[in-house]
Amino acid sequence: MSHDAKEQLFPAIGTIADRADQLPENEASANSDEDRPMQEIESLCMKCGEQGITRMLLTSIPYFREIIVMSFRCEHCGASNNEIQSAGTIRPEGTLYTARILARSDLNRQIVRSANASIVIPELQLTLPSSARGQLTTVEGLIRDIVSDLSTDQPLRRVQDEESYTKIQSLIDKLIEILGDDEVEDEAKDDQNSASVRAASEKDLPMPAFTVKLDDPSGNSWIEFIGSMSDPKWNMRNYPRTLQQNIELGLVAAPDESASVVQGAAKLSLNDDADEVVGGGTEGADEEIYVFPGTCSSCGHPLDTMMKKVNIPYFKDIIIMSTNCDRCGYRDNEVKSGAAISEHGKRMTLKVEDREDLSRDILKSETAGLSIPEIDLVLTHGTLGGRFTTLEGILEQVYEELSDKIFSGDSASNTPEAMQERVRFEKFLGDLKEIKSAARPFTLVLDDPLANSYIQNLYAPDPDPAMTVESYERTWDQNEELGLNDIKVEGYESDRASIVGDASVNEDGESASEKVAVETTLHRS
């Protein structure tokens, strides 16, 4: 399908509104179905059995993609329903949207939820699994639907299972506190002839902060951002789908369980015998993946840790370790240096001008510190551990780590001091989002006292004009922090002999060091 044809099939909402306004009233009914901005179909109402109207609209959401909006309403009994379907294909990757709901205005954020998406509110320990249909709503509408669904069988639970009733009612009370509803509004909401309930976003009441996470393996869901994609309270992350997710989406067939697959754990060899490597080189050894059995630190079930040696061109060898738990989903990746300790530290300064620089590979060891002077971002040595990713990936990890800590705990309270601190952090996160999307130039400084970190040189082996690399002598304090001052690699045999001689046992079976300690204690007494 050509681009022009696609634009005609899925026009934007504003375009549809303009087209409808320009149609003369006397010609509106004479237009063909293709010219009408919205399709209407008679449908059977499953509640009363009469005929209702289903309205379908083909449109596109700005910064998202094309969707089909369907709305049903029965004029006889008042039943209504709406859902959406994606008009596009399944995306190559899944998407995870995170929205911080800190003010009542955030309750108006639109949510496009496909049939494959799940929603999590961590503060309430609430998880909504994937449903049978898509949904187009707002955060407030989502919460009202949850309250309505949970409240349906509460009178019956109160009689049959009081414990479940108490737990569910506690959750309902927390959700009602977010909505700011009272008993009068609840009664008015049940009365179909009464006026509509006042929106929760318009109420002047305190609201507890919470987080909405929308996870869609198909990539066809969406949460609205405010202003631009630099919204500090909104974040989107793409991730590769797992095999199970691809099976659930119908993209691949389930594996044949009858077929037995033999998986042998590679044995770690400490011998550097070149004859054991094919061809007498080291390429075969680098391709081998070592598997170590272990226990998941999250759920306690057995798992395997994969380790592989990788050679970075124009740098050195590194060791990548990956741990994935199939039961609870715990994942951990770590990078270690595979070379000797360097005699000097290394400081790399990169001038980032456009999005092309965000695709540079970056190796940040566990001893490296990272800073961006333009936004006063400073990560001390050891923050985030060892990471081997791209520049965009590590900035995304920094954003996720900071946002999780900023919008929780004391900063989530409604005191004036916390509100001012929250405003400052929101501005900082907005600047960080502009940085990680290369909306403005910035400077990245990576300082590693052990010189085990690396930023990809696009002009290798020639110098990179956008990057400056300098070596420096480590200070005594840096060596002390790294534990290098106490390391002795020469002459330690004589020191060991003297220690063994001092620890010789006397005639009474008491060592010389123990005798000195006893005499000192008696003298002090």
Side-chain angles (χ1 to χ4, degrees):
M1 181 182 295
S2 65
H3 179 72
D4 295 339
K6 188 175 181 181
E7 289 294 335
Q8 294 176 1
L9 182 59
F10 299 107
I13 295 178
T15 305
I16 295 176
D18 294 339
R19 185 190 307 168
D21 293 340
Q22 294 173 2
L23 287 176
E25 295 183 359
N26 56 356
E27 296 182 5
S29 59
N31 285 305
S32 61
D33 292 341
E34 289 78 6
D35 294 335
R36 299 177 62 184
M38 183 168 54
Q39 303 293 326
E40 294 185 356
I41 302 174
E42 288 189 0
S43 304
L44 178 67
C45 177
M46 305 304 297
K47 188 173 182 180
C48 66
E50 298 292 339
Q51 289 293 327
I53 299 296
T54 296
R55 295 175 175 85
M56 293 192 304
L57 176 67
L58 304 177
T59 184
S60 62
I61 296 179
Y63 304 101
F64 184 52
R65 56 182 60 95
E66 300 85 1
I67 63 170
I68 303 174
V69 182
M70 293 181 289
S71 175
F72 172 81
R73 179 169 179 79
C74 179
E75 299 295 340
H76 299 84
C77 65
S80 62
N81 186 20
N82 65 80
E83 64 177 288
I84 68 163
Q85 292 183 2
S86 175
T89 60
I90 295 178
R91 313 303 295 179
E93 294 181 319
T95 54
L96 174 62
Y97 292 90
T98 304
R100 312 284 179 177
I101 311 302
L102 305 181
R104 290 200 171 273
S105 59
D106 294 326
L107 295 175
N108 289 329
R109 292 177 184 260
Q110 289 187 346
I111 295 179
V112 177
R113 181 188 180 190
S114 73
N116 304 300
S118 62
I119 296 179
V120 178
I121 303 179
E123 290 80 1
L124 303 179
Q125 298 181 354
L126 177 64
T127 301
L128 304 179
S130 57
S131 60
R133 61 183 181 88
Q135 188 179 16
L136 175 60
T137 181
T138 61
V139 176
E140 178 182 353
L142 176 69
I143 295 177
R144 290 195 182 277
D145 289 343
I146 297 174
V147 172
S148 177
D149 292 342
L150 293 179
S151 302
T152 302
D153 296 331
Q154 278 296 85
L156 184 61
R157 292 192 193 98
R158 189 171 187 176
V159 177
Q160 296 181 347
D161 191 352
E162 187 174 357
E163 183 179 356
S164 298
Y165 165 81
T166 303
K167 293 180 179 179
I168 294 176
Q169 189 61 40
S170 175
L171 176 59
I172 293 176
D173 293 340
K174 294 178 181 179
L175 295 173
I176 292 178
E177 182 182 1
I178 294 174
L179 297 174
D181 291 347
D182 52 23
E183 296 180 358
V184 177
E185 290 180 338
D186 292 340
E187 294 176 357
K189 182 177 60 176
D190 296 334
D191 187 2
Q192 296 180 1
N193 297 325
S194 64
S196 60
V197 180
R198 184 183 176 190
S201 59
E202 299 176 357
K203 299 177 182 178
D204 188 13
L205 294 173
M207 185 195 73
F210 62 97
T211 305
V212 176
K213 293 186 176 182
L214 180 61
D215 188 356
D216 187 0
S218 67
N220 288 326
S221 297
W222 183 69
I223 293 182
E224 180 187 9
F225 52 78
I226 297 177
S228 65
M229 297 185 70
S230 298
D231 181 5
K233 295 182 286 187
W234 178 92
N235 187 49
M236 180 191 73
R237 180 173 64 86
N238 295 324
Y239 63 88
R241 284 188 292 267
T242 62
L243 175 61
Q244 183 62 32
Q245 289 174 333
N246 285 327
I247 294 175
E248 294 174 354
L249 292 175
L251 300 178
V252 297
D256 188 3
E257 297 181 356
S258 61
S260 60
V261 180
V262 180
Q263 296 181 350
K267 297 182 179 180
L268 178 62
S269 176
L270 300 179
N271 298 326
D272 295 333
D273 190 358
D275 296 336
E276 297 180 0
V277 181
V278 179
T282 59
E283 294 183 0
D286 291 344
E287 293 298 326
E288 190 172 11
I289 299 177
Y290 303 105
V291 182
F292 300 92
T295 303
C296 178
S297 60
S298 179
C299 65
H301 288 89
L303 52 74
D304 291 332
T305 296
M306 310 289 183
M307 187 182 78
K308 185 178 188 298
K309 188 170 97 171
V310 177
N311 178 265
I312 299 179
Y314 307 104
F315 185 54
K316 59 177 70 173
D317 292 338
I318 64 170
I319 298 175
I320 298 179
M321 293 177 288
S322 175
T323 302
N324 297 324
C325 181
D326 296 333
R327 293 179 177 266
C328 67
Y330 171 79
R331 300 179 63 184
D332 181 60
N333 299 303
E334 194 171 354
V335 179
K336 297 286 187 182
S337 173
I341 297 176
S342 175
E343 297 182 357
H344 300 87
K346 181 187 293 184
R347 182 181 296 107
M348 290 163 285
T349 304
L350 175 65
K351 299 287 186 180
V352 180
E353 300 291 343
D354 50 31
R355 291 192 61 87
E356 184 180 355
D357 291 324
L358 296 179
S359 61
R360 290 176 184 255
D361 292 332
I362 180 172
L363 168 63
K364 178 192 172 298
S365 72
E366 64 273 10
T367 60
L370 185 146
S371 63
I372 301 177
E374 286 80 1
I375 59 174
D376 296 330
L377 172 66
V378 178
L379 300 183
T380 58
H381 301 279
T383 306
L384 296 180
R387 290 290 186 269
F388 185 32
T389 177
T390 61
L391 180 55
E392 182 179 8
I394 199 166
L395 292 178
E396 181 70 32
Q397 292 173 359
V398 171
Y399 176 85
E400 291 182 358
E401 290 287 336
L402 292 179
S403 61
D404 288 341
K405 293 177 174 60
I406 288 171
F407 296 126
S408 60
D410 295 337
S411 63
S413 61
N414 293 320
T415 61
E417 295 79 6
M419 293 293 291
Q420 293 177 2
E421 189 72 13
R422 184 186 301 169
V423 170
R424 287 196 294 268
F425 276 125
E426 286 182 13
K427 182 181 181 304
F428 169 77
L429 285 182
D431 295 338
L432 180 57
K433 292 203 75 171
E434 292 182 356
I435 289 297
K436 72 186 186 73
S437 61
R440 60 174 177 173
F442 65 94
T443 304
L444 178 77
V445 180
L446 189 63
D447 188 356
D448 190 353
L450 293 182
N452 287 331
S453 297
Y454 161 83
I455 299 178
Q456 182 183 9
N457 182 356
L458 301 179
Y459 299 87
D462 298 329
D464 192 329
M467 184 168 56
T468 303
V469 181
E470 55 179 323
S471 300
Y472 62 89
E473 292 283 347
R474 286 189 295 268
T475 63
W476 188 91
D477 292 335
Q478 288 177 324
N479 287 330
E480 182 68 18
E481 183 179 355
L482 296 171
L484 301 179
N485 291 332
D486 298 329
I487 294 180
K488 188 173 184 180
V489 295
E490 296 179 357
Y492 54 86
E493 296 88 352
S494 59
D495 293 342
R496 180 177 181 276
S498 63
I499 294 175
V500 173
D502 293 340
S504 59
V505 181
N506 57 17
E507 296 177 356
D508 299 332
E510 182 181 18
S511 66
S513 59
E514 293 176 349
K515 183 176 180 179
V516 172
V518 173
E519 292 178 350
T520 304
T521 303
L522 293 175
H523 177 70
R524 291 179 177 177
S525 301

